[in-house]
Amino acid sequence: GESVGLHLPTLSVQEGDNSIINCAYSNSASDYFIWYKQESGKGPQFIIDIRSNMDKRQGQRVTVLLNKTVKHLSLQIAATQPGDSAVYFCAENLRPGGSYIPTFGRGTSLIVHP
Amino acid sequence: EAQVTQNPRYLITVTGKKLTVTCSQNMNHEYMSWYRQDPGLGLRQIYYSMNVEVTDKGDVPEGYKVSRKEKRNFPLILESPSPNQTSLYFCASRRSGGANTGELFFGEGSRLTVL
């Protein structure tokens, strides 16, 4: 019979468009957030981070926005390129004993069409 | 080159046959962690270690063991693997305290199949 699995949210964009990937986090006590990019066959890699005392942070072609009121995080990628095709994870971090403990979201698959 | 190295990268085994996945980092990181990644479920933490001889359970520790006898190594042990442990496993490390950014450095992954 047909197997049913969990499917990743997927965002398809054209090369050159801007991409926005969203993430809802669960714990209002989380005070540090990281976006990771995972290319096919590789481990996740750090893209950008933001602390809870900020609502926006910019990197090279990427911007992270944090809305603590609704516990929402977004990653904006400007002028998306085929090399941006990957799965993107957000991670919220708690610091119960002074050291960050991350919890990852399920991820979003970004597909960039040339 | 700064890296986290996992071995083996691929393994097919049978139910009940003990196996160990090794993890080594050359960045002098205090914190190390193991994750499993399953389709649609993201990364779930199995165990983590804040430093040598200090380990704690993550979200899905059942069926796994770890040890941290040296700072650079953090092996994951499956004493009696079962098919539900078929997964893609990642080891990760980072600094702790001080100027800790929280950024995790991941290995390339170990794909395990238990028949």
Side-chain angles (χ1 to χ4, degrees):
Chain A
E2 183 181 11
S3 64
V4 178
L6 293 173
H7 297 285
L8 277 180
T10 300
L11 175 65
S12 290
V13 301
Q14 289 296 129
E15 181 178 1
D17 287 352
N18 296 333
S19 302
I20 300 177
I21 300 170
N22 296 304
C23 175
Y25 64 93
S26 59
N27 197 321
S28 56
S30 295
D31 65 355
Y32 177 58
F33 305 87
I34 303 177
W35 280 99
Y36 290 89
K37 172 187 181 182
Q38 185 179 23
E39 295 176 68
S40 181
K42 296 187 177 181
Q45 286 188 299
F46 174 94
I47 303 173
I48 191 168
D49 59 358
I50 188 168
R51 298 190 184 278
S52 59
N53 61 353
M54 304 170 70
D55 52 23
K56 180 179 180 179
R57 188 163 189 223
Q58 287 184 291
Q60 188 177 18
R61 278 202 309 119
V62 295
T63 301
V64 55
L65 299 177
L66 174 62
N67 185 331
K68 294 183 289 293
T69 303
V70 295
K71 294 189 286 187
H72 183 268
L73 200 63
S74 69
L75 177 71
Q76 300 179 358
I77 305 174
T80 315
Q81 302 167 1
D84 294 326
S85 293
V87 176
Y88 290 81
F89 292 98
C90 66
E92 59 179 300
N93 288 266
L94 287 165
R95 209 171 10 171
S99 193
Y100 288 118
I101 303 294
T103 300
F104 287 84
R106 284 177 51 205
T108 296
S109 177
L110 175 65
I111 300 171
V112 182
H113 301 282
Chain B
E1 181 189 352
Q3 59 186 6
V4 177
T5 304
Q6 299 178 222
N7 278 295
R9 294 288 314 280
Y10 302 91
L11 179 65
I12 300 174
T13 190
V14 295
T15 298
K17 185 176 181 182
K18 180 179 178 180
L19 69 92
T20 299
V21 187
T22 64
C23 175
S24 181
Q25 50 92 5
N26 63 0
M27 294 169 279
N28 202 36
H29 287 167
E30 293 84 6
Y31 179 97
M32 296 185 75
S33 182
W34 276 103
Y35 294 87
R36 62 177 288 172
Q37 185 174 32
D38 301 290
L41 295 179
L43 290 156
R44 293 182 293 167
Q45 191 176 55
I46 303 171
Y47 270 94
Y48 65 97
S49 169
M50 292 292 193
N51 214 326
V52 176
E53 301 292 2
V54 180
T55 62
D56 280 293
K57 294 178 180 179
D59 299 318
V60 288
E62 294 78 20
Y64 305 94
K65 286 174 57 178
V66 292
S67 69
R68 187 87 184 275
K69 293 181 168 48
E70 306 165 282
K71 197 172 188 179
R72 64 182 293 128
N73 295 322
F74 190 44
L76 179 70
I77 303 156
L78 286 72
E79 292 272 6
S80 183
S82 62
N84 65 11
Q85 292 178 297
T86 293
S87 188
L88 178 58
Y89 291 87
F90 287 101
C91 180
S93 73
R94 64 164 166 78
R95 289 174 294 156
S96 291
N100 170 32
T101 65
E103 174 188 353
L104 283 167
F105 294 82
F106 284 85
E108 294 284 274
S110 296
R111 184 167 292 283
L112 171 65
T113 302
V114 183
L115 301 175

